[in-house]
Amino acid sequence: MKKFIALSAIAAVVTTGFASEADIKAELEQLKKEIQELKKAQAGVNLKALKKQLQEVKAHDAGDNIKWNVDFRTAYDVIGYKTVNGNSSWNRIFTNRLWLGMAYAPKNNIVFKGLISYYKAYGQMTNTLGANFNYFDWIVNETPNPNGELRIKEAYWLYFGESLFGADIPWTASLGRRPATDGLLASYREDQNPKSPLGHIINTEFDGASFKFNLENVTDISGMYFKLCMGRGMTNANIRYASIKPGFVYGVSNQLVVGGNGTEYTEVPDYDSTDLFGFIFVPYDDGQYSVHTTAFKAWNLPGIVLDRTAPMVDTDLDGTLDSYQGNFRQVGNLYGAAISFLAQGIGDGINDTLDETNAFISFAASKTDPKSGNAMLGSTEKKTGTSVYVGANWPCMLIDDARIGVEYNHGTKYWRSFTYAEDTLAGSKLATRGDAYEVWLTKELIGRTLTAQIRYTYMNYKYTGSNGFFADGGAPIEVDSTDGKAVDALDKAQDIRFYIRYRY
């Protein structure tokens, strides 16, 4: 329309030399009339309606699609173990890890997020119990498999509320397979944004829900929030067709045992669901200094209970009877708590390095609660364990676009964390009953799109069972003791990792 008005004005000027004064006045009056009509039409435009129409178009053409991202990592790990009697073993392993992230927002206050995971060692692994040749690595992607191998690491909905019952408390509700690994503090070594739980004490995948309440507006305390978390680690429901049981014995029989009355997904006898309920409370976070706390209770935790009334068996087939048979049982409950202090930048403008330095110290505790005379961590009594975790990371002054990190953690005799999903192939360093040291360097090769890391982790065990579960498998035996030497307990573990990672 502006173009039209300009052309009209030019035409009026050009024709000035040929028209009479009356004609010029008439044309100017006509132009004024047209401009007034345009202004009137513009004033009548319903901007709110236009904005709504634009949002509908965006929702249809942009928001109504799943957005994908890629995180692909190739890693090379050198893993070493040494037992208390001096036996050692080393191995080298290549792995590929692919995360396909997805997100979809049908409304401004609702978001779906998911993460498909593929994590595999290079080549066929020798110990694939029950897999037979159908899962042989050479043909697995061209073979119809009886079980689905597509793994969903995360899949959940997020709802954003602006106020809670009229109070100025923004809140979120989330339901699904929640992001529960690589939480704050552990996120630094993994070079990624922190997820929900404190990485010091929880680093395990869960199906569950969370509800977060931002208390900053009503308390006027920077960054304060409270978050309820709940998850189910194991259900006590039977599988479909549970009454059909395999009776296959190679060379002897190949039959199925069929029984039951046709009911499905009923309770498995003598088992309860394994649940966790807890909270995360951040009393202060100004973006530089922050305090993070968490506490939880987990019910009906499982583990292997040794049957010491039965004869010992030769587990490694070396001709020596070395262990009792074990049964999978639920043995009791566990309480856990942690408090962490984090500085994202030290001081205010002292120098560039301190401005970009992250430092933290964290303390955590766990306490067992055996049920019905069961033994948890090898004891029928309640046992408390503690852990200290400190670390720092800063920009490397010798290499551009690189960061260095150092970490240390110490766990006591009965320390038990939920860090089974920690990505250290030699075992969870944060579960260590003893001392663990780690140093890493992460380098940006093409910004954050292509990065590389070299990391060294060293674990010096004081007690056995660091990576065990909650029954006899997690019982602590002093490594450097007569009993420890009798079972040739694991004394030290090391993991040297180098990876290249692509993210887009």
Side-chain angles (χ1 to χ4, degrees):
M1 187 54 68
K2 289 181 179 179
K3 184 177 181 181
F4 171 77
I5 294 172
L7 290 174
S8 299
I10 292 171
V13 172
V14 170
T15 55
T16 301
F18 304 96
S20 65
E21 184 177 349
D23 292 337
I24 294 173
K25 287 184 178 179
E27 290 181 3
L28 289 175
E29 289 299 325
Q30 180 62 30
L31 284 173
K32 289 180 180 179
K33 185 179 179 181
E34 290 177 356
I35 291 172
Q36 288 174 350
E37 289 177 350
L38 285 172
K39 287 182 177 179
K40 185 178 179 181
Q42 188 177 21
V45 172
N46 189 336
L47 294 178
K48 188 174 182 180
L50 283 177
K51 185 178 179 181
K52 183 179 180 182
Q53 290 177 14
L54 182 60
Q55 289 177 337
E56 290 175 352
V57 171
K58 288 174 65 179
H60 182 270
D61 294 343
D64 196 17
N65 294 289
I66 292 179
K67 307 299 182 186
W68 293 88
N69 61 73
V70 172
D71 186 339
F72 179 67
R73 186 189 75 186
T74 296
Y76 177 69
D77 282 75
V78 180
I79 304 164
Y81 295 103
K82 183 179 180 182
T83 66
V84 69
N85 293 330
N87 297 310
S88 64
S89 65
W90 289 87
N91 200 10
R92 296 164 295 280
I93 181 171
F94 279 101
T95 57
N96 279 330
R97 189 192 70 183
L98 172 64
W99 288 348
L100 288 177
M102 64 186 101
Y104 165 56
K107 299 288 184 181
N108 291 336
N109 59 348
I110 298 177
V111 175
F112 165 78
K113 291 187 176 182
L115 192 64
I116 299 173
S117 175
Y118 165 92
Y119 192 10
K120 181 184 171 298
Y122 276 36
Q124 168 71 12
M125 303 189 80
T126 57
N127 185 11
T128 51
L129 184 63
N132 301 323
F133 284 96
N134 196 65
Y135 285 89
F136 205 76
D137 181 69
W138 302 352
I139 59 172
V140 68
N141 284 308
E142 288 73 32
T143 306
N145 292 311
N147 300 311
E149 264 65 41
L150 184 65
R151 294 178 178 175
I152 302 298
K153 182 175 172 63
E154 299 171 9
Y156 60 99
W157 287 99
L158 266 172
Y159 176 83
F160 299 89
E162 295 182 354
S163 63
L164 182 68
F165 302 120
D168 190 11
I169 302 177
W171 60 284
T172 61
S174 178
L175 190 67
R177 189 162 181 79
R178 295 274 305 140
T181 58
D182 302 328
L184 187 64
L185 307 186
S187 59
Y188 288 118
R189 68 195 294 262
E190 302 299 338
D191 187 28
Q192 60 189 52
N193 295 327
K195 298 187 179 180
S196 185
L198 276 177
H200 188 173
I201 196 167
I202 293 180
N203 199 337
T204 305
E205 297 178 32
F206 271 108
D207 303 311
S210 71
F211 302 90
K212 180 180 177 181
F213 308 96
N214 189 336
L215 304 176
E216 188 175 26
N217 295 341
V218 294
T219 62
D220 202 25
I221 298 177
S222 179
M224 177 182 283
Y225 76 81
F226 182 77
K227 188 173 186 178
L228 291 172
C229 305
M230 53 206 74
R232 171 152 294 179
M234 186 180 73
T235 178
N236 70 338
N238 254 315
I239 60 173
R240 173 157 288 180
Y241 304 124
S243 58
I244 302 176
K245 301 176 182 177
F248 180 86
V249 179
Y250 185 78
V252 178
S253 66
N254 187 9
Q255 298 177 339
L256 292 175
V257 178
V258 181
N261 56 9
T263 57
E264 298 177 337
Y265 299 109
T266 54
E267 293 184 2
V268 178
D270 302 324
Y271 281 94
D272 295 309
S273 294
T274 298
D275 293 325
L276 183 147
F277 182 85
F279 68 82
I280 298 171
F281 176 53
V282 174
Y284 182 79
D285 184 355
D286 64 5
Q288 181 178 9
Y289 301 110
S290 57
V291 179
H292 305 259
T293 68
T294 188
F296 66 84
K297 179 179 180 180
W299 287 265
N300 308 313
L301 293 166
I304 300 298
V305 178
L306 299 180
D307 183 4
R308 291 182 172 83
T309 62
M312 296 185 75
V313 294
D314 180 10
T315 56
D316 54 8
L317 303 178
D318 65 350
T320 302
L321 301 178
D322 52 30
S323 184
Y324 293 101
Q325 291 181 315
N327 295 307
F328 186 75
R329 289 284 184 269
Q330 291 173 307
V331 290
N333 309 325
L334 184 81
Y335 298 89
I339 180 169
S340 308
F341 302 89
L342 171 65
Q344 297 174 288
I346 297 176
D348 184 11
I350 299 174
N351 58 52
D352 291 343
T353 300
L354 288 179
D355 286 345
E356 297 296 324
T357 295
N358 301 313
F360 61 82
I361 181 169
S362 183
F363 176 80
S366 62
K367 184 174 184 177
T368 60
D369 183 15
K371 187 168 66 175
S372 303
N374 291 314
M376 292 188 73
L377 308 183
S379 175
T380 56
E381 300 177 354
K382 297 180 180 180
K383 295 294 183 182
T384 300
T386 59
S387 171
V388 175
Y389 181 24
V390 297
N393 59 86
W394 60 90
C396 179
M397 290 174 279
L398 301 177
I399 304 174
D400 292 337
D401 303 321
R403 294 188 70 85
I404 297 175
V406 292
E407 298 184 6
Y408 165 78
N409 57 272
H410 172 83
T412 62
K413 182 177 181 179
Y414 285 99
W415 165 240
R416 170 55 69 240
S417 60
F418 268 98
T419 52
Y420 300 101
E422 180 190 310
D423 193 12
T424 307
L425 293 189
S428 168
K429 68 158 189 165
L430 287 170
T432 301
R433 292 165 172 169
D435 300 290
Y437 307 85
E438 188 169 75
V439 57
W440 51 262
L441 183 145
T442 303
K443 172 77 173 73
E444 294 182 2
L445 301 177
I446 305 176
R448 297 281 293 169
T449 302
L450 189 68
T451 60
Q453 185 186 82
I454 184 166
R455 185 170 84 194
Y456 174 62
T457 309
Y458 176 79
M459 290 165 276
N460 186 7
Y461 298 108
K462 177 71 172 176
Y463 297 93
T464 64
S466 294
N467 290 287
F469 272 74
F470 303 91
D472 290 322
I477 299 173
E478 189 172 358
V479 171
D480 193 17
S481 67
T482 302
D483 290 339
K485 292 177 181 176
V487 296
D488 198 14
L490 181 62
D491 187 22
K492 296 176 176 59
Q494 302 176 68
D495 190 341
I496 305 169
R497 168 175 289 178
F498 173 76
Y499 75 66
I500 296 289
R501 186 176 183 182
Y502 172 82
R503 282 173 282 190
Y504 180 74

